């Protein structure tokens, strides 16, 4: 049976701690595979006038998000021993960017967290679902423990 050679862990810093990271690390170690990380800063407008007095709507927080994400990515990279050149920080739609990074780098397994949504929430779509439908390689959806 063929083993995985390059595993891409798609990390969303807001929602899960170590459980998915640990799974990705273990699978990479068991397969003697390279491990890479990707985080995508969604380019939705984050200058919403609804924030009113808290965030003036002419302030663009994209740069701050990118800086903070880069720092988180580097910390996780150190923890998982993933070198900087395999820490991908992208902007755009997470599901498309994750799949693009996987294709550009001959990834054969993408690891994502999964909320196990169903019904209407699933129809609305999720990143895990989007990656699963668009990726040409295998995708492992690790169920998040708080479901
Ligand atoms: P979601 O279904 O959108 O809640 O996200 C499920 C999983 O997709 C997360 O646990 C991550 O593995 C991945 N993911 C979500 N958003 C991002 C993001 N912006 N960048 C990289 N991976 C993400």
């Amino acid at each position: 049976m063929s083993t995985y050679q390059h595993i891409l862990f798609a990390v969303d810093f807001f929602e899960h701690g170590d459980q998915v990271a640990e799974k990705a690390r273990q699978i990479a170690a068991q397969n003697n595979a390279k491990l890479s990380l990707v985080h995508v800063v969604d380019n939705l407008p984050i200058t919403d006038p609804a924030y009113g007095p808290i965030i003036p709507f002419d302030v663009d927080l994209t740069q701050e998000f990118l800086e903070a994400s880069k720092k988180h990515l580097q910390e996780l990279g150190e923890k998982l021993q993933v070198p900087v050149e395999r820490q991908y920080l992208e902007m755009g739609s997470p599901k498309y960017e994750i799949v693009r990074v996987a294709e550009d780098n001959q990834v054969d397994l993408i690891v994502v967290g999964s909320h196990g949504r169903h019904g209407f929430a699933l129809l609305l779509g999720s990143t895990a679902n989007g990656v699963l439908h668009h990726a040409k390689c295998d995708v492992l959806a690790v169920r998040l423990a708080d479901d």
Side-chain angles (χ1 to χ4, degrees):
M1 201 177 96
S2 67
T3 56
Y4 296 115
Q5 297 189 346
H6 191 181
I7 295 168
L8 180 66
F9 170 33
V11 55
D12 177 359
F13 301 115
F14 292 108
E15 64 169 24
H16 51 69
D18 293 341
Q19 48 178 327
V20 190
E22 180 52 22
K23 193 65 78 81
R25 192 197 62 74
Q26 274 176 14
I27 297 170
Q30 283 160 2
N31 287 275
N32 206 14
K34 277 194 299 192
L35 180 61
S36 295
L37 308 175
V38 61
H39 176 71
V40 184
V41 175
D42 213 317
N43 59 7
L44 290 173
I46 42 180
T47 54
D48 190 342
Y51 286 99
I54 303 169
I55 303 174
F57 58 81
D58 57 345
V59 171
D60 184 357
L61 295 177
T62 307
Q63 199 53 40
E64 279 76 2
F65 270 82
L66 282 171
E67 292 297 326
S69 300
K70 191 172 172 190
K71 192 163 168 278
H72 285 311
L73 209 51
Q74 280 171 352
E75 284 166 4
L76 185 63
E78 270 174 36
K79 201 163 150 190
L80 298 177
Q81 294 178 313
V82 174
V84 176
E85 61 271 20
R86 294 208 306 270
Q87 299 170 12
Y88 299 97
L89 180 59
E90 309 296 332
M91 275 188 70
S93 156
K95 66 183 175 214
Y96 293 121
E97 288 303 307
I98 293 165
V99 170
R100 185 187 59 74
V101 167
E103 284 175 10
D104 288 354
N105 295 281
Q106 292 82 45
V107 162
D108 45 17
L109 178 69
I110 301 172
V111 177
V112 292
S114 165
H115 292 285
R117 293 186 181 99
H118 34 74
F120 189 61
L122 181 60
L123 279 181
L124 282 177
S126 69
T127 303
N129 204 36
V131 170
L132 188 60
H133 282 92
H134 290 95
K136 296 193 180 113
C137 64
D138 289 358
V139 178
L140 173 65
V142 178
R143 182 59 52 89
L144 295 168
D146 57 354
D147 285 327

